[in-house]
Amino acid sequence: MADTVETGAENTIARPRKASWTYIGPGIVVAATGVGAGDLVATLIAGSRFGYTLMWAAVIGCVVKISLAEAAGRWHLATGRTLFDGWRSLGGWTTGYFAVYVVVWGFVYGAAAMSSSALPIVALFPDGPGLRVWAVVTGLTGLVFVWFNRYAVFEKVMTALIGIMFVVVMYVAVRVAPDLGASLAGLAPVLPDGSLLYTLGLIGGVGGTITMAAYGYWINAKGWTNSTWMKVMRLDNRVAYLTTGLFVVAMLVVGAELLHSTRTALTSGDRGLIDLGTVLEDRFGATTAKLFLVGFFATSFSSLIGVWHGVSLMFADFVERMRKGRAGGTETAGTEPAGTVEEVAAGARERSVPFRAYLLWLTFPPIALLFLDEPFGLVVAYGVLGAFFMPFLALTLIWLLNSERTPAEWRNGVLSNVMLAAAGLLFVVLCVQQVREIPW
C-alpha cells in the first residue's frame, strides 16, 4: 500500500503518493450524494428566471465546495482522527448539537429521500403502484444494499449512478442548444434585481449537505488513512466538485434555454423535475423525456444510498467516540485515540451495531411520515437544524485546522482560511434566510 523508503532497521519514512486518476472514488461518491433532485430544481428555476446571468455563481460555488471538502479530508489524513473526534475536542456543545441534529434530520430526510426516488418511477410507470409504495420499495432497497455491502461495492454502484446522471444531464443540455456567447457573458459577476437569494443558493446549495462532512469518512473507508494520501485526496476532491459544477452549469443551460425563453414555471421541490419531463416530452418527444426520468431516478437514489451509508458511518463513529469518552475520560487537544481512522478503513464501522441501527432509523420510522402529514413541530426542528449544519461545519473546520490539534505542516494557510471564512459567512446568511422561511 504505502510507498516507503528504508532509512534503517527501525525507521521507515512514507513518501507521498502521486495523484492518480486510478485512485479516484470518494469524490465521486460525495458528488453523487450531495446533488439531489431538489438542488437541480433550484438551479433550473434560477436559470428560468435569470437566464445565463448567474453562471458565475455556479463557478464560485464549485470553488467553495472544493475548499470545504478538502478541509474535512485534510483533517482526517493529517491527524489520524475522524471529524467527530475533532468536534468532541472543541467541547460538549458539539456533541449535543450533533446528537439532536442526526436524530431529527435523519427521521425527516429518510421520508424525503424515499419520496424523491419514487417520483420518477411513478412517472415512468403510471399504471403501477402509487408513490408511497414505490417510496417504501426504494427505502428498503437502499437499506438492504448498504447493510450487505461494504464501501468498495458501494463506490462502484455510486460511480455507475453518477455516470448515468452525467450522461443524461449533458445530453439534455446539448439538446436544448446552449448559447455559448451568453454562457461566457454569464461568467461576469452581475446581480440582477431580485437575484440575491438565488445567487447565494447557487453558491451554497448544490452539493452542500452533511455529506460534505462524510467525505473524510469515505476517504478512510477507501483505505486512505494518513498524510501520504494528501495529494490523491485533493485530486479526488477537485474532480468531485468540478463534476458537480458541470451539473449546475448544465441545469442552468436547460433552465435558460428551455424555460426562460418560454417563461415556463416549475413546481418548487422535487416535483419540478416531473414538470421538466413534461416540457421535454412536448419539445423533444417521449424518448428524451423517459431518459431524463431515468437520470432523475439516478440522481435521487444515489443521494438516498449515499446518505444511508455516509451518515450511518458518522453516526457509528459518534457512538464509538461517546463510548470511549465515557470509558477513558475527556480527551484533550492533541491527543490521538488509537484506531480511529484505521477502524473506518478496516470496515469495522460498517459492521457495527450503531451503523446498522442508524440504517434502520433512516428507513423504518420515516415510512410512517409517508402515510401521515408531517408533524408541524418536526418540520420546524428539521428546518432549523439543517440550516445550521453548514455554518457549523465551516466554522468548526476553521477552529480545528488553525489549532495545535492539527500538525503544523497541514494547518490552514491564508487561502484556506479565506475560503472557509467566506463559506462560513455565506452559510450563515443562507441559514438566516432558511430560518425566516420556515412556517413557524
Side-chain angles (χ1 to χ4, degrees):
M1 291 278 294
D3 298 328
T4 61
V5 56
E6 297 296 333
T7 59
E10 299 179 355
N11 298 316
T12 302
I13 299 175
R15 291 175 178 167
R17 290 162 175 82
K18 294 181 179 178
S20 170
W21 294 92
T22 60
Y23 289 126
I24 287 173
I28 297 298
V29 171
V30 78
T33 305
V35 180
D39 296 314
L40 296 186
V41 173
T43 308
L44 279 168
I45 292 175
S48 69
R49 295 196 178 192
F50 303 105
Y52 292 96
T53 308
L54 300 182
M55 189 74 75
W56 62 273
V59 175
I60 292 178
C62 180
V63 175
V64 167
K65 305 305 187 311
I66 287 173
S67 301
L68 270 170
E70 187 275 340
R74 176 156 43 96
W75 166 263
H76 278 245
L77 296 182
T79 66
R81 304 170 71 185
T82 61
L83 186 55
F84 183 76
D85 192 41
W87 285 339
R88 283 199 68 228
S89 73
L90 300 179
W93 66 275
T94 60
T95 299
Y97 169 76
F98 184 80
V100 176
Y101 172 82
V102 79
V103 171
V104 177
W105 181 89
F107 185 31
V108 181
Y109 178 84
M114 287 186 261
S115 296
S116 179
S117 297
L119 277 171
I121 302 177
V122 173
L124 284 166
F125 305 103
D127 297 326
L131 178 68
R132 288 171 176 169
V133 173
W134 279 120
V136 172
V137 169
T138 59
L140 293 177
T141 301
L143 169 68
V144 171
F145 171 74
V146 175
W147 189 290
F148 290 104
N149 289 289
R150 302 279 77 81
Y151 175 80
V153 176
F154 166 71
E155 182 187 288
K156 288 181 173 63
V157 171
M158 292 292 279
T159 301
L161 290 171
I162 201 172
I164 294 170
M165 294 163 57
F166 187 87
V167 169
V168 169
V169 170
M170 293 304 152
Y171 168 75
V172 173
V174 170
R175 284 298 303 268
V176 302
D179 185 333
L180 295 180
S183 298
L184 292 174
L187 295 176
V190 174
L191 273 179
D193 290 341
S195 68
L196 178 60
L197 291 180
Y198 290 96
T199 303
L200 293 175
L202 273 179
I203 295 173
V206 180
T209 68
I210 189 175
T211 54
M212 295 193 71
Y215 179 60
Y217 290 85
W218 280 324
I219 65 176
N220 292 155
K222 179 78 169 176
W224 307 350
T225 58
N226 55 54
S227 60
T228 66
W229 290 100
M230 202 68 75
K231 288 184 179 180
V232 175
M233 179 275 292
R234 284 170 169 163
L235 174 64
D236 177 75
N237 173 48
R238 288 165 189 163
V239 169
Y241 283 100
L242 287 174
T243 302
T244 302
L246 286 174
F247 280 130
V248 178
V249 167
M251 295 308 281
L252 270 176
V253 167
V254 174
E257 293 293 341
L258 198 61
L259 306 176
H260 181 68
S261 58
T262 59
R263 299 187 180 278
T264 302
L266 295 182
T267 305
S268 60
D270 299 348
R271 292 183 182 273
L273 293 185
I274 300 295
D275 295 346
L276 179 60
T278 302
V279 173
L280 288 170
E281 184 170 5
D282 292 341
R283 177 84 173 265
F284 301 114
T287 300
T288 296
K290 290 184 182 302
L291 181 63
F292 175 75
L293 290 173
V294 170
F296 177 3
F297 173 76
T299 300
S300 298
F301 192 65
S302 65
S303 293
L304 185 152
I305 63 174
V307 166
W308 264 228
H309 187 275
V311 183
S312 296
L313 265 182
M314 293 185 68
F315 181 77
D317 186 60
F318 163 73
V319 173
E320 182 64 17
R321 293 299 100 212
M322 290 292 293
R323 184 185 67 80
K324 289 189 176 181
R326 286 195 298 269
T330 304
E331 293 156 18
T332 58
T335 62
E336 296 186 16
T340 302
V341 298
E342 289 80 4
E343 288 172 0
V344 178
R349 294 287 187 267
E350 294 168 280
R351 296 187 295 269
S352 68
V353 171
F355 180 89
R356 289 175 170 172
Y358 195 72
L359 274 179
L360 296 174
W361 175 255
L362 281 168
T363 307
F364 288 104
I367 287 176
L369 291 182
L370 299 173
F371 295 89
L372 299 171
D373 292 332
E374 294 178 350
F376 180 75
L378 190 62
V379 172
V380 171
Y382 169 76
V384 172
L385 289 168
F388 275 94
F389 184 79
M390 291 305 288
F392 170 79
L393 176 62
L395 298 175
T396 54
L397 282 172
I398 292 176
W399 192 345
L400 290 170
L401 292 169
N402 283 286
S403 70
E404 293 182 358
R405 297 171 181 85
T406 304
E409 179 184 1
W410 302 112
R411 289 177 198 162
N412 278 358
V414 174
L415 180 60
S416 293
N417 279 324
V418 168
M419 293 305 302
L420 288 176
L425 179 61
L426 166 69
F427 290 123
V428 166
V429 174
L430 287 173
C431 171
V432 171
Q433 180 60 28
Q434 284 179 267
V435 171
R436 289 177 59 190
E437 291 178 355
I438 292 171
W440 295 95

